[in-house]
Amino acid sequence: MTTPIVLYLLFGACFGLATFSRRHLFSEGPARRDNAAGSGALRARLGWVALCSCLWPVMALTGLHSWWILSRRRALAEREHRD
């Protein structure tokens, strides 16, 4: 029973590391967040990885929803631009 839990947390940590630079897609708006350097950035990265290690399925669904909304907005903008 320990192996699935460890794999779940490990995959979540990898998901968090991979999506840290695109974490704006998992929030409430499309604006990018600042990627400031320093100790705050390390704390932000560790916090994001810790959050994703536990909640990566929810974060993945949120990211898919944001991707769908943004792609729909892009398609509407292109359609309006053509007209």
Side-chain angles (χ1 to χ4, degrees):
M1 191 63 186
T2 303
T3 303
I5 294 171
V6 169
L7 290 175
Y8 179 89
L9 294 173
L10 183 63
F11 182 80
C14 292
F15 180 84
L17 288 172
T19 60
F20 179 74
S21 62
R22 291 180 284 293
R23 66 192 185 276
H24 63 281
L25 294 174
F26 303 93
S27 68
E28 298 170 356
R32 288 189 176 268
R33 294 184 178 183
D34 292 335
N35 286 332
S39 63
L42 178 61
R43 191 177 317 153
R45 184 177 298 269
L46 288 175
W48 181 254
V49 170
L51 178 70
C52 287
S53 66
C54 296
L55 298 176
W56 67 264
V58 174
M59 300 303 273
L61 290 174
T62 304
L64 285 173
H65 184 257
S66 294
W67 170 78
W68 177 66
I69 288 174
L70 292 175
S71 64
R72 203 172 71 186
R73 283 183 191 167
R74 240 178 271 131
L76 287 173
E78 287 177 9
R79 197 174 307 145
E80 288 178 3
H81 181 61
R82 276 189 257 145
D83 294 337

